[in-house]
Amino acid sequence: MREPTYFVLACLLEGPLHGYAIIKRAEELSGGRVRLATGTLYTALDRLTSEGYVRLVSDEIVSGRVRRSYGLTGPGAAALRAEAVRMAEAAQIVTCRSRVGSARPLHPARSARNVRTA
Amino acid sequence: MSRLERRCRHLLRAYPQPYRAARGEEILGTLLDATPAGRSWPPGRDARSVITGGLHVRAAGNRQLPLVTNLRLAALLAAALWQGLALEAFADAITYPGALTHENSPVSQLPALGVMLFAAVCAAGACLAIVSVWFWRRSVTISLALAVAAASALGVILTHSQGDLLLDARMMGPPLALAVLAMGKDRPPRSWLWLPGLWLTAAALPLPLSANWWSIPDYPLVAGFFVILGITVLWLAIDARPAFAAGLCFEVTYLTNILLLGPSHAPDAGQARTLALTAAALAATALRARRQASTLPTPTGSDSKFTL
């Protein structure tokens, strides 16, 4: 799952949102790192809807224009959780090794000797 | 309507019309909300994303039909282009009716005006047959194409005996192909109209340039060919069918020209190379068309169906 898709789904965890609200919420959640462009958002929404991860929740007219709100479906929430778990496990591999590495720094000469005797 | 909104609406034209009808106002609202106050242009990254998003939807729309239907539609477009090329002979007859008045020809007794009128009616019928592929029912296309084929056959019968092949057998192939291929249910999308439009414009450009337009080189046609080639190559990203149609039209026209020189005339090395290169390009575009037809996504979040 690509990062913009992940954040679109993550925004909808708290409830249905319309297009511009998704853009703003994704920016907030990612600390300003993910700034969804309008076309990118609707391409992602089309794809997520066709995959059954997102559904159209409501239509309303605001300032003479249609404003549609989208919500997360059951499979969408499950896919988001699975992705979060996968990323947490992947992150753990690095963070755990970094901790071990910072606790016992290898001596270059000793590590070279270990390689020779192996 | 503000200048910003007008510009945003122009950007939305990247999306196909049915998609705009269903989602345009919603995307426009988001685009306007996302544009900082006081600006008369949407931000560059939003503009780019709308254009690429529109092309993405167009590409997805092409995947709604199976490969066989896509190739038949491309062949129908190729027949329309071929018919467009065949118009040149009618134009020759209109502007230079003396070519038909060979002293031993059965049509030598006809007044030049009659020949011009006959060719003009044939040309008008052929143009209408091309236009009808997109705008009218298939029965109209088939009737018009068959009428043009019959008129062309009459022209061939009247002139062929003397070898003055102004209206020769090449005139009958395009309308017959058009009639046969138009029998299918699906029609080509109107987003392809740029191809026959450019083609006919390039072919017709010499007409107003000179009274003796047949004597000037085919520069507009050659320039038009390169413009068409460039656009079809770019268009490959979202739709391989126009490129397939242009290649097929070129291959058939080229092959017909070689074959009509006589059964004993084999293509020389240069001609064989051109034929092989075009066949390879056709195969590549067919493969691309297959990839574009291989999946069947639903390109929208609403209930409406989007077709191009």
Side-chain angles (χ1 to χ4, degrees):
Chain A
M1 193 181 284
R2 291 172 58 202
E3 196 174 33
T5 309
Y6 179 82
F7 275 99
V8 168
L9 293 176
C11 293
L12 300 175
L13 264 179
E14 295 160 5
L17 292 174
H18 60 80
Y20 183 59
I22 295 174
I23 293 175
K24 296 303 289 177
R25 189 77 185 120
E27 198 172 344
E28 281 169 23
L29 288 178
S30 65
R33 203 177 67 252
V34 174
R35 289 170 58 229
L36 291 166
T38 306
T40 312
L41 170 72
Y42 283 97
T43 304
L45 284 175
D46 283 344
R47 188 166 41 77
L48 291 170
T49 307
S50 68
E51 288 169 352
Y53 289 172
V54 165
R55 69 189 168 88
L56 187 63
V57 174
S58 66
D59 267 1
E60 55 181 337
I61 305 292
V62 177
S63 307
R65 286 197 189 87
V66 179
R67 177 176 277 181
R68 294 195 174 102
S69 294
Y70 299 87
L72 205 56
T73 62
L80 180 63
R81 267 196 301 274
E83 180 68 9
V85 169
R86 189 192 66 77
M87 284 199 298
E89 286 173 358
Q92 207 175 13
I93 293 169
V94 176
T95 50
C96 285
R97 291 201 173 182
S98 302
R99 228 176 290 136
V100 170
S102 60
R104 264 189 325 129
L106 286 174
H107 191 276
R110 193 182 302 160
S111 61
R113 199 164 55 238
N114 290 344
V115 169
R116 276 200 300 274
T117 53
Chain B
M1 186 189 296
S2 68
R3 192 184 293 179
L4 172 65
E5 184 177 340
R6 198 167 54 246
R7 284 170 176 164
C8 289
R9 283 187 187 280
H10 281 309
L11 277 178
L12 287 176
R13 297 185 74 84
Y15 289 94
Q17 198 278 330
Y19 189 96
R20 280 203 308 275
R23 306 283 299 272
E25 291 299 312
E26 182 192 358
I27 299 175
L28 178 69
T30 305
L31 201 52
L32 291 175
D33 286 343
T35 304
R39 286 187 59 141
S40 57
W41 282 95
R45 58 193 295 274
D46 272 320
R48 276 195 305 278
S49 75
V50 166
I51 291 169
T52 51
L55 296 179
H56 198 83
V57 172
R58 286 179 186 273
N62 300 331
R63 295 187 193 115
Q64 291 176 343
L65 296 173
L67 177 66
V68 177
T69 310
N70 277 336
L71 291 186
R72 190 188 62 75
L73 289 176
L76 183 57
L77 175 61
L81 294 177
W82 195 19
Q83 180 65 82
L85 278 177
L87 285 173
E88 191 186 359
F90 290 126
D92 278 344
I94 294 168
T95 52
Y96 188 47
L100 282 179
T101 53
H102 191 283
E103 59 182 26
N104 295 319
S105 164
V107 293
S108 61
Q109 304 307 315
L110 288 174
L113 187 64
V115 175
M116 288 170 73
L117 273 176
F118 175 74
V121 169
C122 287
C127 284
L128 288 175
I130 295 171
V131 171
S132 71
V133 169
W134 281 271
F135 294 101
W136 296 325
R137 281 187 293 184
R138 56 184 161 161
S139 57
V140 177
T141 308
I142 294 167
S143 308
L144 281 168
L146 288 178
V148 173
S152 301
L154 185 64
V156 170
I157 290 166
L158 291 175
T159 59
H160 192 265
S161 59
Q162 300 305 317
D164 196 358
L165 297 177
L166 202 59
L167 292 170
D168 60 17
R170 278 172 291 183
M171 302 297 296
M172 291 159 62
L176 285 177
L178 207 54
V180 170
L181 289 165
M183 285 174 185
K185 192 181 73 178
D186 295 293
R187 312 302 280 161
R190 289 186 186 177
S191 57
W192 289 0
L193 276 168
W194 59 269
L195 187 49
L198 270 179
W199 191 252
L200 290 177
T201 306
L205 265 181
L207 283 171
L209 296 181
S210 165
N212 302 320
W213 69 276
W214 61 87
S215 65
I216 64 170
D218 289 338
Y219 291 141
L221 194 61
V222 173
F225 171 76
F226 280 107
V227 170
I228 289 166
L229 186 69
I231 298 177
T232 44
V233 168
L234 291 175
W235 209 258
L236 274 171
I238 58 165
D239 193 353
R241 294 171 295 178
F244 185 83
L248 186 63
C249 178
F250 179 81
E251 186 84 335
V252 169
T253 312
Y254 199 65
L255 196 61
T256 312
N257 286 342
I258 292 171
L259 290 177
L260 281 174
L261 290 175
S264 60
H265 182 86
D268 61 29
Q271 289 170 332
R273 201 164 43 239
T274 306
L275 283 171
L277 274 174
T278 313
L282 266 180
T285 50
L287 278 176
R288 176 86 187 148
R290 191 177 138 206
R291 254 183 37 184
Q292 290 176 339
S294 60
T295 54
L296 294 167
T298 311
T300 176
S302 70
D303 293 336
S304 57
K305 286 186 78 177
F306 300 108
T307 51
L308 292 177

